[in-house]
Amino acid sequence: MAATPAADSRLLVIYASETGNAMDAAERVGRQAERGGCPAVDVLPMDSFDPSCLPSERFVVFVVSTTGQGDPPDSMKGFWRYLLKKNLGARWLEGVRYAVFGLGDSGYQKYNFAAKKLDKRLLHLGAEPIIQVGLGDDQHPSGYEGALDPWLLSLWESLNQTTPSLLPRMYDIINPDLSVLGDAKVEVIYHSSDEAQQDSNLLDFKNLIQRARSMSPSLQFYNNDKEPHYMLQMVSNRCLTKENSDRDVRHFELENPSSGITYQVGDALEILPSQSPSAVDSFIERCKLDPDCYITVMSFFATAEHEKEKLQYFASPEGRDDLYQYNQKEGRTILEVLDDFPSVQMPFEWLVQLTPPLKKRAFSISSSPLAKPNQIHLTVSIVSWRTPFKRMRRGLCSSWLAGLNPNEENLIPCWVHHGSLPPPHPSTPLILIGPGTGCAPFCAFVAERAAQSTSEATAPILFFFGCRNQENDFLYKDFWYAHAHDQGVLSSKNGGGFFVAFSRDQPQKVYVQHRIREQSARVWNLLKSGAAIYIAGSSTKMPADVTAALEEVICQETGCSEEEASIWLRKLERNGKFHTETWS
C-alpha cells in the first residue's frame, strides 16, 4: 500500500511502556526530531494507535519495554495480536521504514524479548529497517540511555542520508544550542479564588475539583474508556510480618460500597495513588504558586553561574553517566532537583510539561470472587530502599496504601485487568510455587477451590511457599495450614500438600526449589495426571531455579535426559499449563 503524501513528511513514534521509561524515551525521540525540523512528529502510546493504519505510515519509530519473563507491556498486547494475524502478507508493510528501540535488563534470560520479536515481525511483514534494533540495558552504567544516545544519532544520520527533507535542521540535533528553548506545549491560565466565586463556569469547575478531591486526591479527569472501574473503600490494613522484621508486608481489603465487584482469580488490580500532601505543599511553595489559585491546563532558567555550569554538564554527552547516578540511581523527584538548584526559576508552564503524571500500580489480587464477592484483597510489600548516597526511598503507591486508615473514608480509584495467570478449571490438578508475596494470587486460587469443593468435585493442589524466617515473615500461616488439614484442598488426604521453605532458619539456605526436589514423586504424580504449573514471585533467579528443579524431577522420575525434560515443559507451556507471573 502506497504511503499518503502527509505520511511522507511525518515521523510517527509509538511506545509501549510499563513503568514510564519507554514513554520518556519516546518523548525524547520526538523532541530531537522536532529540533531537527521534522515537519510533523506524533508521539503516541501503542494502545491508542490503530494497527490497521500502519501501512499508511512512511517512517515509524517503536519504543517498547520488556517486562517479567520476556512479556510485552499491557499496552502492546492488542497491537501485537493484530500483527500476528495470518492474513497479513509478506508485503503488507511494504514502503514502511521503521526502527525499534527496546528497554530491558540483561540480567533476565529473555532480555529485550518484546523489542526483538517486534523487529522480526515487522521485517517479515515487508517493512524496511532504518537501522538495527537498539537494546537499552538497565545494567549499563548509564541505564538504557547508554544505548539510546548512540542509537538515536545513527537513526538521524540514516534518515538524513535517505530523506534529507525529513530533518532539514539536522545540524541542530548533532550540535544543539542549549541557550535556546522552544515554546512550552501547554498553556496555563490562573484563576484567583475571588474570580471563582464570581464566574459561574469557574465555580462549576471549583465544585468539580472538590468532588474529585473527596473521592481521591490523585483522581484526574479521564476519557470515558479510562475512567476507574471502581472507587473502592479500604476496610482492612493489616501487617503480615512481625513488628521488628526488616520487611513490611501488608494485607489490604478493599470493598465496593455500592455493589459487587466483577473479577476472577489470577486478575490484577491497578491502583492510582495520591502524592504526599507535604510534597505538594513544598512544591507549591518552591514554585511560588498561590495554593488557593485554580489552574486550567532546565539550565536555561538557572541564574547562578555554578548551577548553570553543572546543569549544562549534566546535559552534555560527557556528563551522561554522572546525570544517571545523580537522577535515576538516586530516584530524585522534580522538587528535590529544584531544591538542589535554588537559582532555577522555571516558568510553571514548563514544570507542568516536564512533570509526569502519577502512574498506576498493578498488584495481584489475593482473594476469590466466590469467597469474597464484594471485596478485593491485596498482599503488598511496602517498598523501601537506600540509594547509593544512603538516602532512604519509599515506594509511592505501597507507602500511600500503608498510610490509609480503614476507619476513614478513602475512596481509591481502581482498575481490574486480566493477569498472566488464567483461572484453572476445578478438575485440573495444580502445582503452585509462590515464595514471598508471590503467594498472593495463590491465596485466591486456594480460596476459590475451597469454595468450589462445597458443590462439586475438585482436583488436588500442591503449594510450595518460601520465606526467610518462620517467625518473621510466614505470610498467611494460619490460612495455609487450615486448608492443609482434614479434607482441605491442600491436605495430603485429598492428594494435595503444603510445603514451606524457610531460607534463613538454618545454616544451609533452603528455597522452594529444594522442597520441589524433595517432593519429586508427588510432583511427578500430579504432572502425570494433567496438572498445571503456576509460578509467581520475584523475577530474579527464582523462576529459572524452579524450572530447573522441575526438569530434575522429570529426569529423576522418568529417566529421560535434561533436554527431553526441557522439551516436555515447553510443550506444557504451549498447551496452556505452565504459567509464570513475576515482578521486579
Side-chain angles (χ1 to χ4, degrees), residues 424-566:
H425 192 274
S427 63
T428 301
L430 301 178
I431 299 172
L432 311 177
I433 303 107
T437 54
C439 72
F442 302 142
C443 286
F445 279 46
V446 170
E448 177 102 336
R449 187 145 295 187
Q452 291 166 338
S453 67
T454 62
S455 59
E456 60 182 308
T458 57
I461 299 177
L462 293 181
F463 177 46
F464 295 89
F465 173 72
C467 61
R468 290 183 176 183
N469 312 106
Q470 184 171 4
E471 292 298 320
N472 291 338
D473 56 351
F474 192 171
L475 309 181
Y476 299 112
K477 172 183 176 181
D478 294 339
F479 175 82
W480 306 123
Y481 282 138
H483 288 288
H485 290 155
D486 299 327
Q487 298 296 321
V489 295
L490 292 177
S491 68
S492 57
K493 294 178 182 178
N494 282 339
F498 171 61
F499 308 98
V500 59
F502 303 112
S503 62
R504 303 191 180 183
D505 276 353
Q506 59 284 312
Q508 184 72 27
K509 289 185 178 178
V510 177
Y511 298 111
V512 285
Q513 59 264 31
H514 298 115
R515 295 290 183 243
I516 290 171
R517 293 187 184 98
E518 291 172 0
Q519 301 299 324
S520 177
R522 286 186 183 220
V523 170
W524 177 243
N525 285 337
L526 229 55
L527 286 175
K528 280 194 305 181
S529 63
I533 299 171
Y534 288 79
I535 303 172
S538 169
S539 57
T540 51
K541 291 183 60 182
M542 184 274 293
D545 290 341
V546 166
T547 301
L550 291 168
E551 289 175 355
E552 287 182 35
V553 166
I554 296 170
C555 291
Q556 179 177 324
E557 299 299 325
T558 67
C560 71
S561 67
E562 290 183 12
E563 183 179 357
E564 289 171 326
S566 179

Side-chain angles (χ1 to χ4, degrees), residues 93-230:
L93 292 180
E94 193 172 47
V96 177
R97 302 192 65 205
Y98 77 94
V100 176
F101 186 83
L103 287 81
D105 188 324
S106 59
Y108 295 102
Q109 185 177 8
K110 294 185 177 180
Y111 167 57
N112 261 314
F113 205 51
K116 293 173 183 176
K117 288 197 302 182
L118 177 60
D119 178 66
K120 188 175 181 180
R121 183 57 178 162
L122 293 170
L123 191 63
H124 285 169
L125 292 172
E128 178 189 353
I130 302 169
I131 58 172
Q132 287 187 338
V133 59
L135 303 177
D137 186 2
D138 280 349
Q139 298 293 329
H140 190 279
S142 298
Y144 70 84
E145 291 184 342
L148 181 59
D149 285 347
W151 183 85
L152 274 176
L153 184 59
S154 296
L155 173 67
W156 304 136
E157 289 176 342
S158 298
L159 281 173
N160 191 53
Q161 287 175 5
T162 59
T163 318
S165 61
L166 192 67
L167 298 168
R169 298 199 303 271
M170 176 68 181
Y171 180 84
D172 290 341
I173 296 180
I174 300 174
N175 299 287
D177 186 351
L178 298 180
S179 66
V180 176
L181 191 70
D183 296 330
K185 294 182 179 180
V186 298
E187 179 184 7
V188 176
I189 304 172
Y190 299 87
H191 310 285
S192 69
S193 55
D194 291 338
E195 285 182 80
Q197 297 299 331
Q198 299 170 11
D199 189 317
S200 59
N201 291 329
L202 289 178
L203 188 58
D204 290 341
F205 179 64
K206 178 182 177 182
N207 292 335
L208 188 62
I209 290 176
Q210 294 301 333
R211 288 205 309 273
R213 283 176 174 167
S214 70
M215 292 189 294
S216 168
S218 67
L219 188 57
Q220 303 173 30
F221 302 102
Y222 291 90
N223 297 325
N224 288 335
D225 62 336
K226 292 190 177 180
E227 290 178 353
H229 297 163
Y230 303 99

Side-chain angles (χ1 to χ4, degrees), residues 29-306:
V29 175
R31 286 195 301 271
Q32 287 199 7
E34 289 175 343
R35 188 184 300 154
C38 185
V41 182
D42 286 312
V43 181
L44 302 172
M46 194 170 283
D47 55 2
S48 72
F49 180 78
D50 184 352
S52 68
C53 298
L54 200 55
S56 300
E57 300 296 332
R58 180 73 189 280
F59 305 102
V60 188
V61 176
F62 297 90
V63 183
V64 299
S65 61
T66 295
T67 67
Q69 298 300 304
D71 301 319
D74 288 341
S75 60
M76 182 178 171
K77 290 177 180 176
F79 189 94
W80 180 244
R81 281 194 300 269
Y82 189 93
L83 291 189
L84 293 180
K85 284 188 173 183
K86 293 182 180 179
N87 63 338
L88 304 181
R91 300 181 63 183
W92 184 63
L93 292 180
E94 193 172 47
V96 177
R97 302 192 65 205
Y98 77 94
V100 176
F101 186 83
L103 287 81
D105 188 324
S106 59
Y108 295 102
Q109 185 177 8
K110 294 185 177 180
Y111 167 57
N112 261 314
F113 205 51
K116 293 173 183 176
K117 288 197 302 182
L118 177 60
D119 178 66
K120 188 175 181 180
R121 183 57 178 162
L122 293 170
L123 191 63
H124 285 169
L125 292 172
E128 178 189 353
I130 302 169
I131 58 172
Q132 287 187 338
V133 59
L135 303 177
D137 186 2
D138 280 349
Q139 298 293 329
H140 190 279
S142 298
Y144 70 84
E145 291 184 342
L148 181 59
D149 285 347
W151 183 85
L152 274 176
L153 184 59
S154 296
L155 173 67
W156 304 136
E157 289 176 342
S158 298
L159 281 173
N160 191 53
Q161 287 175 5
T162 59
T163 318
S165 61
L166 192 67
L167 298 168
R169 298 199 303 271
M170 176 68 181
Y171 180 84
D172 290 341
I173 296 180
I174 300 174
N175 299 287
D177 186 351
L178 298 180
S179 66
V180 176
L181 191 70
D183 296 330
K185 294 182 179 180
V186 298
E187 179 184 7
V188 176
I189 304 172
Y190 299 87
H191 310 285
S192 69
S193 55
D194 291 338
E195 285 182 80
Q197 297 299 331
Q198 299 170 11
D199 189 317
S200 59
N201 291 329
L202 289 178
L203 188 58
D204 290 341
F205 179 64
K206 178 182 177 182
N207 292 335
L208 188 62
I209 290 176
Q210 294 301 333
R211 288 205 309 273
R213 283 176 174 167
S214 70
M215 292 189 294
S216 168
S218 67
L219 188 57
Q220 303 173 30
F221 302 102
Y222 291 90
N223 297 325
N224 288 335
D225 62 336
K226 292 190 177 180
E227 290 178 353
H229 297 163
Y230 303 99
M231 297 298 297
L232 302 183
Q233 169 71 41
M234 180 179 287
V235 295
S236 178
N237 178 347
R238 176 165 56 91
C239 189
L240 297 174
T241 46
K242 199 169 183 179
E243 189 174 344
N244 60 356
S245 172
D246 60 350
R247 292 188 175 187
D248 184 359
V249 179
R250 294 183 181 243
H251 174 83
F252 299 114
E253 296 181 6
L254 310 179
E255 190 170 276
N256 191 346
S258 56
S259 62
I261 308 172
T262 302
Y263 71 101
Q264 58 186 9
V265 297
D267 282 354
L269 188 74
E270 284 189 331
I271 288 177
L272 183 65
S274 286
Q275 187 56 270
S276 162
S278 60
V280 173
D281 291 341
S282 298
F283 186 83
I284 290 173
E285 182 181 353
R286 172 61 177 81
C287 298
K288 297 180 172 60
L289 299 174
D290 178 2
D292 295 322
C293 178
Y294 293 90
I295 301 171
T296 310
V297 177
M298 280 239 284
S299 67
F300 184 83
F301 302 106
T303 54
E305 194 59 36
H306 69 284

Side-chain angles (χ1 to χ4, degrees), residues 350-477:
W350 273 93
L351 280 173
V352 171
Q353 184 172 319
L354 294 174
T355 304
L358 290 176
K359 298 178 179 68
K360 293 179 285 187
R361 173 73 164 87
F363 300 97
S364 295
I365 294 176
S366 55
S367 55
S368 157
L370 288 181
K372 301 289 182 180
N374 195 43
Q375 288 189 346
I376 283 182
H377 296 181
L378 301 176
T379 307
V380 178
S381 177
I382 311 306
V383 180
S384 64
W385 71 98
R386 289 197 179 275
T387 70
F389 290 132
K390 308 302 180 185
R391 291 145 53 102
M392 179 59 71
R393 292 295 192 208
R394 300 188 186 280
L396 173 62
C397 191
S398 62
S399 297
W400 176 71
L401 284 171
L404 293 181
N405 186 342
N407 297 319
E408 298 176 358
E409 186 175 0
N410 290 297
L411 292 180
I412 304 168
C414 300
W415 292 256
V416 173
H417 290 294
H418 292 313
S420 52
L421 303 178
H425 192 274
S427 63
T428 301
L430 301 178
I431 299 172
L432 311 177
I433 303 107
T437 54
C439 72
F442 302 142
C443 286
F445 279 46
V446 170
E448 177 102 336
R449 187 145 295 187
Q452 291 166 338
S453 67
T454 62
S455 59
E456 60 182 308
T458 57
I461 299 177
L462 293 181
F463 177 46
F464 295 89
F465 173 72
C467 61
R468 290 183 176 183
N469 312 106
Q470 184 171 4
E471 292 298 320
N472 291 338
D473 56 351
F474 192 171
L475 309 181
Y476 299 112
K477 172 183 176 181

